[in-house]
Amino acid sequence: MALTTRQELCAASSVLESQVAEFMQSPSRAGLGSAREAWRTAHQNWQLWRRLLLTAGLDESDTAHPMIDVEPILPGYLDSVPGYPISGLVYSEVPLDPQALADEHLSTDLYYVVLGFHPLEFMLWGAPDEDGKPTRKATAFEPASHADADTVPAADRRRTLTQSMAGLLQLAVEEHCAPTVPLPDLSGLAMLFATEGKPPTAIGRRDLLVAWLDELAQTLARWRSQPSGEDNNGMPLWHSAFARTDFTELDAEWSWLMRHFWPEAGPDVSAAKRLGLSLRNLAEAEPAAPGLDDISATRDAAMALAQTLTGNASSASKKDLVQ
């Protein structure tokens, strides 16, 4: 499972780089759509790889990478945003070579994020409109028909910046998934799988799922208290604030956890399926912010399932003691 997850990440990252390069070479609406789809796939694969590492007991610091999944970002540091039509690196004279971009990344502020999935996400989607839909058009990457000595060649710099982001992201991901890179210590997974004739530890699997459900419930509680999708500082609750794929990825992550870690002697799966349906409803509403009723229903489903799993774990533990 670990090798497959890592291979899928590496392959998706490579496809993302090539799709962005193809789009930059010949900007088109279809090309932009393909680059966005490649971003969605690659980012989802990164999230699954990160979840695998956390499941194995690695710390958050072990799964973090300063050039892969840093967020939130300040989009105006990169390109134009509503109210600031000529802002960011695109309209500056800062060099856009890899070393210069690495120097700019997190240079003087935690929000000055230049490298990773989310700066690239902003370049491909742009700032969302009132309905959460992307505003970036393929035409923003088309070379100008004529040059003006007094005008910044924004489209050219936008293409250079975006392609450089994709290339540097691929290099960063390869540090995790290249065939020559050894797998990290995943010995923490041993108790969750059958080894040498020993069955997996059901309680370990339950604890893993309950921890994930608790994390999900906390995320949904933040959405319920901030239905606008922004916190009190005006920062987005979305992890991916421009593509707005959070609930699609949570749905995929829950399906992945169910497939690999549902206890063999666990409770009836109907409650787990209900949670999956609730997550799918949230995903289908994207890119719009989720409705309060759907948020509450999903949170209730997550908490009820966590209680069911915890109850089954207690019963199993008592049974073991009696025997």
Side-chain angles (χ1 to χ4, degrees):
M1 178 185 66
L3 279 173
T4 299
T5 305
R6 187 170 76 161
Q7 288 167 356
E8 289 174 349
L9 167 62
C10 208
S13 176
S14 179
V15 169
L16 173 57
E17 182 186 22
S18 63
Q19 288 291 346
V20 169
E22 186 175 328
F23 171 54
M24 294 301 107
Q25 187 170 0
S26 181
S28 68
R29 183 177 179 180
L32 179 57
S34 295
R36 286 173 176 170
E37 184 58 32
W39 185 95
R40 292 187 188 97
T41 302
H43 188 261
Q44 181 170 299
N45 276 278
W46 168 257
Q47 294 291 76
L48 291 178
W49 173 247
R50 175 181 170 277
R51 178 57 56 184
L52 181 107
L53 298 181
L54 292 174
T55 300
L58 277 70
D59 294 332
E60 285 281 354
S61 59
D62 295 323
T63 69
H65 191 294
M67 294 172 64
I68 293 183
D69 203 35
V70 180
E71 55 82 32
I73 74 169
L74 187 66
Y77 188 64
L78 303 171
D79 200 351
S80 59
V81 292
Y84 298 90
I86 53 172
S87 65
L89 294 176
V90 166
Y91 289 91
S92 73
E93 296 182 355
V94 173
L96 300 178
D97 60 90
Q99 185 57 56
L101 294 180
D103 291 342
E104 289 292 323
H105 182 60
L106 300 173
S107 56
T108 57
D109 193 290
L110 291 177
Y111 296 148
Y112 288 1
V113 184
V114 176
L115 302 177
F117 275 110
H118 300 293
L120 179 58
E121 173 197 3
F122 171 67
M123 299 307 294
L124 294 176
W125 270 266
D129 64 15
E130 292 182 357
D131 296 321
K133 296 179 179 179
T135 57
R136 181 78 72 206
K137 307 295 184 184
T139 52
F141 296 90
E142 293 177 354
S145 57
H146 63 279
D148 186 335
D150 297 325
T151 303
V152 173
D156 293 344
R157 287 181 60 83
R158 188 173 290 117
R159 287 198 311 278
T160 299
L161 177 59
T162 305
Q163 188 161 348
S164 296
M165 285 177 174
L168 291 169
L169 175 59
Q170 168 65 359
L171 291 175
V173 170
E174 282 184 348
E175 294 181 20
H176 286 261
C177 66
T180 55
V181 177
L183 281 170
D185 180 12
L186 301 178
S187 58
L189 293 174
M191 65 181 292
L192 304 175
F193 292 96
T195 56
E196 298 180 358
K198 296 179 180 180
T201 305
I203 292 178
R205 290 189 172 196
R206 289 189 180 98
D207 288 346
L208 164 66
L209 295 174
V210 168
W212 189 89
L213 291 167
D214 181 63
E215 185 180 324
L216 172 64
Q218 292 179 42
T219 297
L220 295 172
R222 287 193 293 272
W223 273 100
R224 194 164 65 174
S225 64
Q226 304 283 354
S228 67
E230 293 185 348
D231 65 18
N232 293 332
N233 296 316
M235 300 307 294
L237 298 185
W238 296 95
H239 175 75
S240 301
F242 313 104
R244 296 196 171 192
T245 54
D246 290 26
F247 295 105
T248 297
E249 292 185 353
L250 285 170
D251 180 31
E253 197 167 306
W254 177 241
S255 297
W256 181 83
L257 287 167
M258 281 283 294
R259 185 165 64 253
H260 293 295
F261 300 109
W262 186 258
E264 294 180 0
D268 184 79
V269 297
S270 58
K273 290 181 177 178
R274 283 196 295 273
L275 174 61
L277 181 60
S278 293
L279 285 169
R280 212 151 299 128
N281 289 337
L282 293 175
E284 289 174 355
E286 290 172 336
L292 283 176
D293 288 345
D294 287 337
I295 286 290
S296 296
T298 307
R299 185 170 183 266
D300 290 346
M303 294 176 68
L305 180 55
Q307 290 173 356
T308 299
L309 286 165
T310 302
N312 271 261
S314 298
S315 298
S317 179
K318 291 176 182 178
K319 183 178 179 181
D320 290 341
L321 289 173
V322 170
Q323 293 176 342

